[in-house]
Amino acid sequence: MKGIRLIPEGTNINFIGVRYVAFAISLLVILGSFGLFFNKGLSFGIDFTGGTMIEIRTPVVADLGEMRTMLNGLGIGAVSIQEFGAPEDLLIRLPQQEGGPEEQQAAIVKVRAAVDEQFGAEAVEYRRTEFVGPQVGEELKKAGFFAIIFSLAGILVYIWFRFEWQFGVAAVMALAHDTIATVGLFSLTGMEFNLSTVAAVLMIAGYSINDTVVVFDRIRENLRKYRKKPLLELLNDSVNETLSRTILTSGTTIIALVSLWLFGGEVIRGFVNALVFGIVIGTYSSIFVAAPILTFLNIRREGKVAGDETSAAAAP
């Protein structure tokens, strides 16, 4: 029984030939992401900033403008309200209050009393209330940053030992590309950046390196098999030979994520958004970034620099 092939056998798309165009696009994405991050910043969730979050369901669709005016008049700082899935589901964020837990609790009591007065006692369903202190928020921010840096360093060491240093450098450059682009997306859209997003970034790194290792494995195999084939042709053949697997893996993962996006609820929607974008950008980088970078790193086969053969083959 023949399996399904999305990419016909013998496909030969010139991915390596358009590497400079791909590099220009990637450079634009990275510079744009840095520009957004340093100018606009990220919309950090209370995991990182500290404060209180109250999720409620109102009996009728609330007038957000009126409700915002009412809560901001309570003297507890700037209160933000956001629809959270259905129009009746709202997320209320309170800033960190001066003082200890008693002051935080007093602010929550004030908000609940005001909301109950507007919609009627016991008409509002309070689904969850979370509080994160500023010290904890700062620690979580540092921990999230170090988690990303150490994961990239660990991947560099792993790929270095498994292949050669050139492959490790190319893999980490591709991963950094994916991570920076994902952070840029959150800065551009203003989506909340919280601990779930950090988890999503780490998952993107894991997914992307898995895809990249498959391509690198085929490159290494072909370097041993075709000792005289020009490097550019060999890299392009390797990417084309793994293209079907790359597209199928990414496609099936995205189908699962679409189901999560549709039925998983608003709580995990930011996490799913980051993963969907990360898989798309990770697939792009494994094809257009990781393998083409190797053309500049003088990868070796059987004690010879592969690029030398490319030059020799191109010479008249």
Side-chain angles (χ1 to χ4, degrees), residues 245-269:
R245 180 263 175 205
T246 301
I247 301 295
L248 277 172
T249 307
S250 303
T252 50
T253 309
I254 284 179
I255 288 172
L257 289 174
V258 168
S259 302
L260 263 182
W261 195 90
L262 289 174
F263 305 113
E266 195 66 32
V267 174
I268 60 169
R269 193 149 291 167

Side-chain angles (χ1 to χ4, degrees), residues 156-291:
L156 172 64
V157 172
Y158 168 71
I159 299 293
W160 192 325
F161 276 107
R162 179 165 173 180
F163 296 92
E164 293 176 26
W165 69 265
Q166 294 95 332
F167 289 87
V169 170
V172 167
M173 288 176 77
L175 286 183
H177 167 276
D178 301 344
T179 304
I180 292 167
T182 305
V183 172
L185 172 76
F186 273 78
S187 183
L188 176 67
T189 59
M191 285 189 292
E192 184 178 299
F193 193 91
N194 51 31
L195 279 180
S196 298
T197 314
V198 174
V201 170
L202 293 175
M203 285 186 69
I204 290 166
Y207 180 89
S208 180
I209 195 62
N210 183 50
D211 223 16
T212 304
V213 163
V214 170
V215 177
F216 283 179
D217 253 337
R218 183 56 60 93
I219 291 172
R220 183 171 60 176
E221 186 184 320
N222 285 341
L223 282 171
R224 292 170 180 163
K225 197 172 174 183
Y226 305 108
R227 297 183 180 181
K228 294 186 177 177
K229 185 179 275 191
L231 180 62
L232 296 183
E233 186 183 338
L234 185 144
L235 292 176
N236 202 57
D237 288 349
S238 302
V239 173
N240 276 286
E241 287 165 13
T242 54
L243 188 60
S244 182
R245 180 263 175 205
T246 301
I247 301 295
L248 277 172
T249 307
S250 303
T252 50
T253 309
I254 284 179
I255 288 172
L257 289 174
V258 168
S259 302
L260 263 182
W261 195 90
L262 289 174
F263 305 113
E266 195 66 32
V267 174
I268 60 169
R269 193 149 291 167
F271 175 75
V272 177
N273 287 337
L275 280 182
V276 170
F277 178 77
I279 286 171
V280 172
I281 199 80
T283 303
Y284 165 85
S285 71
S286 66
I287 295 172
F288 290 101
V289 177

Side-chain angles (χ1 to χ4, degrees), residues 4-313:
I4 299 173
R5 286 192 68 89
L6 284 182
I7 310 296
E9 216 166 322
T11 297
N12 186 21
I13 302 170
N14 190 10
F15 294 113
I16 303 299
V18 296
R19 61 189 181 284
Y20 292 110
V21 176
F23 289 157
I25 293 171
S26 293
L27 186 63
L28 197 63
V29 169
I30 289 171
L31 291 178
S33 297
F34 274 120
L36 284 166
F37 178 76
F38 287 112
N39 288 299
K40 190 178 174 188
L42 292 170
S43 175
F44 287 112
I46 64 166
D47 298 341
F48 297 131
T49 60
T52 303
M53 183 166 64
I54 306 172
E55 183 186 342
I56 63 171
R57 166 163 281 188
T58 55
V60 295
V61 176
D63 182 334
L64 292 186
E66 182 187 338
M67 197 172 169
R68 205 169 277 126
T69 304
M70 174 189 70
L71 294 181
N72 278 308
L74 296 176
I76 54 175
V79 178
S80 70
I81 306 172
Q82 173 188 356
E83 278 189 4
F84 193 68
E88 295 85 6
D89 295 337
L90 301 177
L91 202 60
I92 303 172
R93 288 190 178 86
L94 317 182
Q96 173 75 23
Q97 305 296 306
E98 292 290 335
E102 293 79 13
E103 283 72 15
Q104 315 309 321
Q105 188 58 39
I108 294 170
V109 170
K110 273 187 182 178
V111 169
R112 292 186 63 147
V115 172
D116 286 344
E117 187 181 336
Q118 184 172 12
F119 295 101
E122 299 187 3
V124 178
E125 181 184 345
Y126 291 91
R127 296 185 156 184
R128 63 177 168 135
T129 302
E130 294 178 8
F131 166 69
V132 177
Q135 183 64 33
V136 175
E138 280 302 313
E139 287 174 4
L140 289 175
K141 202 183 285 184
K142 284 181 190 170
F145 174 76
F146 285 126
I148 293 173
I149 294 299
F150 288 146
S151 67
L152 291 180
I155 287 169
L156 172 64
V157 172
Y158 168 71
I159 299 293
W160 192 325
F161 276 107
R162 179 165 173 180
F163 296 92
E164 293 176 26
W165 69 265
Q166 294 95 332
F167 289 87
V169 170
V172 167
M173 288 176 77
L175 286 183
H177 167 276
D178 301 344
T179 304
I180 292 167
T182 305
V183 172
L185 172 76
F186 273 78
S187 183
L188 176 67
T189 59
M191 285 189 292
E192 184 178 299
F193 193 91
N194 51 31
L195 279 180
S196 298
T197 314
V198 174
V201 170
L202 293 175
M203 285 186 69
I204 290 166
Y207 180 89
S208 180
I209 195 62
N210 183 50
D211 223 16
T212 304
V213 163
V214 170
V215 177
F216 283 179
D217 253 337
R218 183 56 60 93
I219 291 172
R220 183 171 60 176
E221 186 184 320
N222 285 341
L223 282 171
R224 292 170 180 163
K225 197 172 174 183
Y226 305 108
R227 297 183 180 181
K228 294 186 177 177
K229 185 179 275 191
L231 180 62
L232 296 183
E233 186 183 338
L234 185 144
L235 292 176
N236 202 57
D237 288 349
S238 302
V239 173
N240 276 286
E241 287 165 13
T242 54
L243 188 60
S244 182
R245 180 263 175 205
T246 301
I247 301 295
L248 277 172
T249 307
S250 303
T252 50
T253 309
I254 284 179
I255 288 172
L257 289 174
V258 168
S259 302
L260 263 182
W261 195 90
L262 289 174
F263 305 113
E266 195 66 32
V267 174
I268 60 169
R269 193 149 291 167
F271 175 75
V272 177
N273 287 337
L275 280 182
V276 170
F277 178 77
I279 286 171
V280 172
I281 199 80
T283 303
Y284 165 85
S285 71
S286 66
I287 295 172
F288 290 101
V289 177
I293 285 176
L294 292 174
T295 60
F296 302 99
L297 297 177
N298 290 330
I299 56 174
R300 305 177 73 87
R301 48 185 172 188
E302 301 298 327
K304 295 179 180 177
V305 177
D308 291 347
E309 290 182 8
T310 310
S311 305

